[in-house]
Amino acid sequence: MNVELAETAVSAALQTKWVGRTYRYLAQIPSTNTLLREMVMTKTGVPLPHGMVVLTDYQHAGRGRMARRWEAPHGTSLLFSLFLRPDWPAAQATWLTMIAALAVAEAVEQVVPQPVGVKWPNDVIINEDGTWRKVSGLLLEGDMDENGRLAWAILGIGINVNVLPEQLPEAVTPPTSLLMAAGHPVSRLSLLVDLLARLERYYETAVNGQSPQPAWNRRLVTIGQPVMVSQVENGKIVRGIAEGTDEWGQLLVRDGAGTLHQVAAGDVTLRPS
Ligand code: ATP
Ligand code: BTN
């Protein structure tokens, strides 16, 4: 059987040095993030390789942030996770979400004619006739070692590729797919190869000490917008204008009384005010 994203096809097409050079394809699994997480936790004595990619054609328990679901019909999308061992302080983990958002936004830009942006903190969106629609979501998970450094990180990426309008899920941020935006089917293999190359370049730039934050900040459509932030931890709601982000990617929101709030990605839901 000719499977578009199986090991042989992907390894023959890859343009990277180390990202995706260890690659596992599974026709269906609960979630690529969950599988990698289980692999890290199962101490076999053989460490998971930095840059390993697990990809599937269908997830029956695809996850977003805060136990939300990621839904994608069989064989239509890119659904994968990248395993990394960055030798970074844990506070710098947010750089990985920024790197992924930049790489996905650029790869998407190669195949659609519309503007492509980022909705803070973890969505890649396409502007179709004045409406920003979500084409991709990113899910970063990781663990810290005893020295406060990132022991490992799993970067989950979901992109709606050849999803028909009627197959898209109901969601607060309206969804779209590359098929809808481009007006024609898009090769998942070419998109994956291009995206992994961009991820590798952005990661290496960050390892060399250059923060992805300024470029990521320029992509954020959230800046200058009225926002409502509900903090999951304490139930508090902050309404204000998103003024920018700090070097760790926290959103800076000024409320009506002039107070500046620093909002971390982990514990909030962002909605237009
Ligand atoms: P959103 O504004 O989409 O809720 P968020 O970043 O606050 O963004 P997440 O925590 O990222 O939300 O949770 C994932 C959300 O994505 C789900 O609540 C769901 O509504 C939406 N979603 C699920 N599958 C898809 C998909 N294939 N395409 C677009 N959106 C999806
Ligand atoms: C979000 O929008 O909250 C993030 C969605 C992330 C979805 C991807 S699909 C591949 C990987 N496996 C998962 O279970 N989730 C991520």
Side-chain angles (χ1 to χ4, degrees):
M1 198 170 67
N2 181 12
V3 178
E4 187 187 1
L5 299 174
E7 281 87 352
T8 27
V10 171
S11 62
L14 272 185
Q15 296 165 356
T16 51
K17 295 192 287 288
W18 54 273
V19 167
R21 287 293 165 186
T22 303
Y23 178 87
R24 267 189 77 184
Y25 167 82
L26 295 119
Q28 55 175 303
I29 45 171
S31 148
T32 55
N33 266 50
T34 306
L35 179 66
L36 268 177
R37 193 178 249 283
E38 286 165 1
M39 289 168 86
V40 186
M41 300 300 175
T42 313
K43 306 271 182 235
T44 58
V46 185
L48 283 189
H50 176 63
M52 178 175 180
V53 168
V54 171
L55 181 143
T56 190
D57 262 324
Y58 185 69
Q59 299 183 128
H60 37 92
R63 297 189 282 118
R65 294 180 312 139
M66 297 179 267
R68 296 197 189 118
R69 305 251 319 155
W70 185 261
E71 316 273 2
H74 191 277
T76 60
S77 300
L78 279 185
L79 305 167
F80 70 96
S81 300
L82 169 62
F83 181 77
L84 296 163
R85 291 187 189 279
D87 186 15
W88 287 353
Q92 210 172 296
T94 48
W95 280 22
L96 296 173
T97 305
M98 297 179 197
I99 285 168
L102 285 167
V104 170
E106 282 179 12
V108 165
E109 235 164 27
Q110 310 307 308
V111 291
V112 303
Q114 298 91 343
V116 180
V118 174
K119 174 176 167 271
W120 184 90
N122 66 330
D123 297 340
V124 177
I125 51 184
I126 300 177
N127 193 317
E128 291 175 56
D129 300 324
T131 302
W132 286 103
R133 294 179 178 275
K134 178 166 169 176
V135 70
S136 172
L138 314 166
L139 178 64
L140 177 69
E141 299 181 294
D143 202 8
M144 215 167 46
D145 67 16
E146 57 280 5
N147 303 314
R149 298 183 77 77
L150 259 186
W152 52 264
I154 296 169
L155 193 47
I157 300 182
I159 306 179
N160 301 328
V161 186
N162 296 315
V163 186
L164 296 166
E166 61 271 23
Q167 295 176 309
L168 287 165
E170 294 261 324
V172 178
T173 303
T176 190
S177 68
L178 298 181
L179 169 69
M180 286 169 68
H184 56 77
V186 168
S187 160
R188 290 187 300 154
L189 178 60
S190 305
L191 180 70
L192 177 69
V193 166
D194 183 49
L195 173 55
L196 295 183
R198 290 177 197 279
L199 279 168
E200 185 173 278
R201 283 201 293 277
Y202 270 114
Y203 185 87
E204 288 185 348
T205 307
V207 166
N208 291 333
Q210 194 180 318
S211 168
Q213 191 267 345
W216 176 76
N217 194 68
R218 283 194 294 277
R219 284 256 178 206
L220 287 177
V221 302
T222 315
I223 307 305
Q225 300 294 315
V227 293
M228 185 178 90
V229 177
S230 53
Q231 295 179 304
V232 173
E233 252 178 26
N234 54 19
K236 283 201 182 132
I237 291 183
V238 177
R239 284 191 178 79
I241 304 289
E243 287 195 347
T245 54
D246 67 13
E247 61 181 315
W248 307 118
Q250 297 190 101
L251 193 64
L252 306 173
V253 179
R254 190 162 313 265
D255 69 20
T259 307
L260 196 63
H261 301 260
Q262 281 182 314
V263 182
D267 48 26
V268 301
T269 303
L270 187 69
R271 296 283 172 254
S273 184

